[in-house]
């Protein structure tokens, strides 16, 4: 783990995906838990909160800013941050926003944020000190808010928001080129499935085996992988029910648990 050298930049036309965090909202190990996975010596079982970094055309884009964002950015050697996409406004996906301040200071500019209207309104409420500052004496994150209204161009790539249901909430996954990131969902409407065909890599929620009202299970996500047929699938938002090695041994060859620090390249 070094923050000394900048992260290598992906070649033009290539997108480098880094899984910054693969864990569920409480992280793994989970505080005060004595289970085998929380006490595992396998580093793949150390899961910070869920996020990915997309590096392309010399730009770094993160999906979500988790409570672990600072540690994740250090580990991934992120030396500049060009945009943030938000899937939804649950605490495990937004609470690291304050830690973008060093990037603002270095880049001397606000960072563009893309999110649904509903997510933006929760961001404004949760981070009232950012959007309704009473005092300019301490530094605050500088962002430029953009409401998701459909596909958009970002640094020369097409970003396709993919609506999904997370229990009663509508959340967004994102597709760029031949990769899609789809965390925190319980079901995908047919109108979104058509946005997910011909993928090289699909990163998707698979919390555990036991059913959950807000999250897809391993079996539900395996069924979705069979239906959408990406070349490779990676499960994320993983809780401590799933040990890395033992779970992987039971999965089909093209499906694996994601892990913090996983990197792969795709064409844009
Ligand atoms: Zn979550
Ligand atoms: Zn545990
Ligand atoms: Zn959530």
């Amino acid at each position: 783990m070094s923050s000394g050298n900048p992260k290598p930049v992906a070649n033009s036309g290539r997108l480098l995906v880094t899984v910054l965090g693969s864990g569920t909202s409480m992280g793994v190990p989970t505080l005060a838990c004595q289970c085998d996975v929380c006490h595992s010596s396998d580093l793949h079982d150390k899961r910070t909160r869920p996020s990915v970094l997309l590096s392309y055309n010399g730009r770094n884009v993160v999906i979500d800013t988790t409570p672990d964002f600072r540690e994740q950015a250090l580990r991934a050697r992120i030396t500049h941050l060009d945009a943030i996409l938000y899937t939804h406004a649950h605490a495990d996906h937004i609470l690291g926003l304050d830690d973008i301040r060093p990037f603002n200071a270095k880049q001397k500019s606000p960072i563009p944020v893309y999110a649904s209207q509903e997510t933006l309104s929760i961001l404004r409420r949760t981070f009232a000190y950012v959007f309704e500052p009473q005092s300019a004496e301490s530094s605050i994150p500088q962002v430029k808010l953009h409401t998701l209204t459909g596909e958009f161009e970002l640094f020369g790539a097409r970003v396709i928001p993919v609506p999904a249901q997370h229990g009663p909430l509508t959340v967004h996954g994102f597709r760029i080129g031949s990769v899609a990131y789809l965390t925190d969902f319980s079901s995908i409407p047919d109108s979104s499935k058509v946005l997910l065909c011909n993928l090289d890599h699909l990163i998707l929620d698979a919390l555990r085996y036991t059913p959950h009202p807000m999250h897809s299970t391993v079996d539900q996500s395996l069924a979705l992988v069979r239906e959408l047929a990406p070349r490779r699938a990676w499960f994320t938002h993983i809780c401590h029910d799933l040990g890395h090695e033992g779970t992987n041994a039971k999965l089909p060859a093209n499906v694996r648990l994601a892990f913090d620090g996983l990197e792969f390249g795709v064409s844009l």
Side-chain angles (χ1 to χ4, degrees), residues 207-229:
L207 181 73
R208 60 189 190 192
Y209 284 103
T210 317
H212 188 286
M214 304 282 281
H215 289 277
S216 187
T217 63
V218 169
D219 291 330
Q220 289 164 342
S221 290
L222 283 174
L224 190 64
V225 168
R226 282 192 294 275
E227 185 179 353
L228 298 174

Side-chain angles (χ1 to χ4, degrees), residues 33-254:
C33 184
Q34 303 302 327
C35 82
D36 287 349
V37 174
C38 288
H39 282 265
S40 162
S41 58
D42 183 350
L43 290 178
H44 297 100
D45 286 321
K46 315 281 180 222
R47 303 175 183 130
T48 59
R49 267 59 73 85
S51 177
V52 290
L53 167 67
L54 309 173
S55 303
Y56 63 97
N57 295 342
R59 305 289 194 150
N60 286 327
V61 177
V62 289
I63 304 185
D64 296 331
T65 54
T66 81
D68 301 309
F69 173 73
R70 179 177 168 278
E71 287 295 332
Q72 294 171 338
L74 285 170
R75 184 169 53 195
R77 295 178 285 155
I78 302 176
T79 54
H80 60 100
L81 181 63
D82 300 292
I84 303 166
L85 312 179
Y86 281 111
T87 58
H88 65 306
H90 279 160
D92 52 325
H93 298 259
I94 66 169
L95 285 186
L97 177 61
D98 195 68
D99 286 327
I100 68 167
R101 289 175 297 142
F103 296 113
N104 290 139
K106 184 178 175 191
Q107 297 163 202
K108 298 187 176 18
S109 62
I111 292 172
V113 163
Y114 296 83
S116 70
Q117 200 161 30
E118 187 185 9
T119 296
L120 291 179
S121 73
I122 299 171
L123 284 173
R124 285 194 184 92
R125 198 171 71 223
T126 308
F127 294 93
Y129 69 95
V130 173
F131 300 102
E132 300 159 25
Q134 302 294 312
S135 150
E137 282 167 21
S138 56
S139 67
I140 55 173
Q142 294 166 359
V143 290
K144 187 170 189 314
L145 302 183
H146 300 268
T147 308
L148 284 180
T149 53
E151 292 185 32
F152 62 102
E153 182 91 5
L154 186 64
F155 311 130
R158 203 87 201 129
V159 178
I160 303 172
V162 181
Q165 284 307 119
H166 180 29
L169 284 179
T170 298
V171 301
H172 287 91
F174 295 97
R175 176 178 185 157
I176 301 187
S178 58
V179 64
Y181 180 71
L182 208 57
T183 187
D184 292 61
F185 69 87
S186 44
S187 66
I188 310 284
D190 289 342
S191 54
S192 289
K193 287 179 181 170
V194 297
L195 305 173
L196 297 168
C197 51
N198 299 321
L199 287 170
D200 276 339
H201 291 265
L202 172 62
I203 305 175
L204 73 166
D205 186 356
L207 181 73
R208 60 189 190 192
Y209 284 103
T210 317
H212 188 286
M214 304 282 281
H215 289 277
S216 187
T217 63
V218 169
D219 291 330
Q220 289 164 342
S221 290
L222 283 174
L224 190 64
V225 168
R226 282 192 294 275
E227 185 179 353
L228 298 174
R231 197 167 60 78
R232 295 216 64 160
W234 303 94
F235 288 165
T236 193
H237 213 293
I238 309 159
C239 90
H240 59 169
D241 291 6
L242 305 182
H244 185 80
E245 205 179 299
T247 307
N248 273 344
K250 291 184 238 164
L251 293 175
N254 66 331

